[in-house]
Amino acid sequence: MNQEVVSAAPTLKKKENLKQRAYLNSLTNIIDYVVTQFTGFLVSPFIVSGLGNSMYGVWQMLSQMSGYAKVADTRATQVLKWTIAKKKDIVDEEELRSDVTSALAITGLIVPLVLIAGSVVSWYAPIITKVEQEYYTLVRITCSLMILSLVVSKLFDLYESVLRGMNLAFKRMGLRAAIVAFGGGLKVLVLTQGYGLIALAIVQLVITLIIGITYYIVVKKTVSWFGFGRTNFAKIKIFSKVSGWYLADTGASLLLGNSDKILLGFIAGPIAVTYYTLTLFLPTAFQGIINRIVMGVLPGIGKLLGLQEYDKLKNVLENINSITFLLITASAVTITIINSSFLNAWVGGELYAGNIANTLIMVMVIQDTFIRNDAYILSATLDLKDKVLLTLAAGVLFILIGFFLVGKLQITGLCISLLAGKLILFIGQRHLIHSKIQYTSASSILARIRPLLVSLAMLAGAGYITTTMKPLSILEMAGLTPLIFLVAFLVYYFLGLNKNNRSELIRIVSSIKLFKYD
């Protein structure tokens, strides 16, 4: 009897260093993202020249359209990630294994629905992309392969979710980056050999499969309790209810965040998508790095939510906002000034969307960065009803305004439509987060909007500078880009942040041990 009691008792665990693991997870995410973007930077000119301006736009539209198969995806693995993050220190290992099995069961049930949704998307893909009838079969096969890649990714997401939920994403540091770089080389190879869309989609499928297998190996080696435990219909039902809201969230998010290229291409044509995508490359590359810094911290946020340590959580969220504003503003100012020159050197200045569209894209990226941060936090609460309704309302507003403005203003109209739709989501999500953690601010309204005012003023100044500039050479960009970023960083640091914000950021940075693994 005593032996049973001892075996059932939770094992004494080493205290988790949330700050250090947040740093390591962020570093892992940043390495992955930087390599992915650098690979895209090297490969994209080959894709543009290999496919042509119009077919490159079709490839971008298909990338978004294949994501619409996720409308049948309950995202049970996302529920698993946040469930493990919240429960890993307060339940026994058998319950965690039971949660893994429940997520696997729901994923297995949903795969056929994803395939059915993907079949519908693939069939109508040629009509939406407005290709000539001779390319119908080509586009349908390409879209089908991309959806198959999505299904493979969903099946292996289970292992990534366990790693992230355990706050151990850093254990696979560099693996995804190496595989993505290898995939980029394969894409260049098939393009230089004269192959096109279908070959690119096959390469994408192969890379997804390799990444999934590596996640499985890492989880088996690093998570001692990992396995599949007993579950039952009641538990799967509870899991599916939460997953059901993730399904609704996926659908609403697709409408708002995965429709811009489709809407632009459907109304203005695939070539407009090419201009938009290439002008968006550098802004989204920098945005992704900032998002990944935040993503590395969020499993720690899941733990604070689970323990209901709201005072600590409020401090973490304020720091995230300060870091995000500082980094995204400095990046936005820099990119606004150099983006035209960058595109001119990269793929040709004729593919630049224009100064007004460029500046609006940067405002859009700033707004979207905060929306994503807030969305991650709300996802960690596993209470998605209000978030889903807000996202759906924002998506509908975007589509309605977009149909009117894109036809008149093309890329500029698309940006205005996105800004208008997402404003509802930004305000609503902030209200939800503050309600859930009982957040109140003693600061004045002016103090609260000070970061935004400084950021927008700096961006407006950068937009004006672009109208007076001639394209920079590669050497000039290499010398000026770090200087512009440093100046923008320091200006915002002293004007956008108050004294307490600056002191807190210095404390956080000084507490991180850069070369300590865990």
Side-chain angles (χ1 to χ4, degrees), residues 325 439 441-452:
F325 248 128
Y439 179 89
S441 176
S443 303
S444 65
I445 294 177
L446 183 60
R448 292 200 296 270
I449 66 171
R450 170 182 169 181
L452 177 62

Side-chain angles (χ1 to χ4, degrees), residues 94-288:
E94 183 56 36
E95 182 168 344
L96 295 176
R97 284 191 285 268
S98 178
D99 288 334
V100 172
T101 306
S102 299
L104 177 64
I106 295 170
T107 301
L109 290 171
I110 212 68
V111 163
L113 297 179
V114 173
L115 290 172
I116 292 171
S119 300
V120 174
V121 171
S122 297
W123 183 258
Y124 287 102
I127 299 170
I128 297 171
T129 55
K130 293 186 173 182
V131 296
E132 299 293 333
Q133 193 161 2
E134 61 185 292
Y135 297 116
Y136 273 29
T137 301
L138 172 68
V139 168
R140 282 172 177 151
I141 292 173
T142 302
C143 193
S144 298
L145 287 168
M146 295 172 82
I147 287 166
L148 181 58
S149 177
L150 171 68
V151 171
V152 172
S153 175
K154 287 290 108 185
L155 292 173
F156 281 107
D157 271 356
L158 187 77
Y159 304 105
E160 182 178 7
S161 296
V162 171
L163 267 186
R164 290 192 178 278
M166 290 298 294
N167 216 4
L168 295 172
F170 63 91
K171 293 292 186 179
R172 49 85 179 168
M173 187 181 292
L175 276 176
R176 181 192 286 269
I179 296 167
V180 167
F182 170 70
L186 283 181
K187 288 179 180 179
V188 172
L189 177 63
V190 299
L191 286 166
T192 53
Q193 294 302 308
Y195 298 101
L197 287 176
I198 293 177
L200 287 176
I202 291 173
V203 170
Q204 184 170 309
L205 175 60
V206 170
I207 295 309
T208 301
L209 186 61
I210 295 173
I211 288 173
I213 292 171
T214 59
Y215 269 118
Y216 168 76
I217 294 171
V218 172
V219 169
K220 291 293 288 183
K221 285 185 176 181
T222 59
V223 182
S224 60
W225 61 261
F226 179 78
F228 298 96
R230 290 185 176 182
T231 190
N232 53 57
F233 179 75
K235 188 161 188 177
I236 292 174
K237 187 177 179 181
I238 292 171
F239 231 77
S240 65
K241 284 182 179 178
V242 180
S243 297
W245 279 111
Y246 271 92
L247 169 62
D249 185 44
T250 300
S253 297
L254 284 171
L255 183 65
L256 179 62
N258 214 48
S259 300
D260 52 345
K261 295 173 186 175
I262 298 171
L263 180 64
L264 180 62
F266 184 72
I267 296 176
I271 293 180
V273 176
T274 298
Y275 294 163
Y276 174 68
T277 301
L278 294 174
T279 304
L280 196 62
F281 177 84
L282 204 55
T284 53
F286 276 82
Q287 181 196 25

Side-chain angles (χ1 to χ4, degrees), residues 75 78 81-82 246 291-292 294-295 298 301 305 369-381 387 429 433:
R75 295 174 72 188
Q78 291 294 309
K81 176 180 72 174
W82 293 117
Y246 271 92
N291 282 140
R292 277 152 182 77
V294 175
M295 284 172 64
L298 286 181
I301 286 178
L305 281 168
T369 300
F370 284 98
I371 288 173
R372 291 188 184 207
N373 288 358
D374 294 346
Y376 292 143
I377 295 163
L378 286 173
S379 295
T381 68
K387 175 182 178 294
Q429 284 190 160
I433 290 173

Side-chain angles (χ1 to χ4, degrees), residues 310-338:
Y310 292 139
D311 288 337
K312 289 184 179 179
L313 187 56
K314 292 172 191 174
N315 188 52
V316 170
L317 296 183
E318 287 178 359
N319 291 334
I320 286 175
N321 281 334
S322 296
I323 293 169
T324 302
F325 248 128
L326 178 61
L327 294 178
I328 197 65
T329 301
S331 301
V333 168
T334 306
I335 294 166
T336 299
I337 293 172
I338 70 163

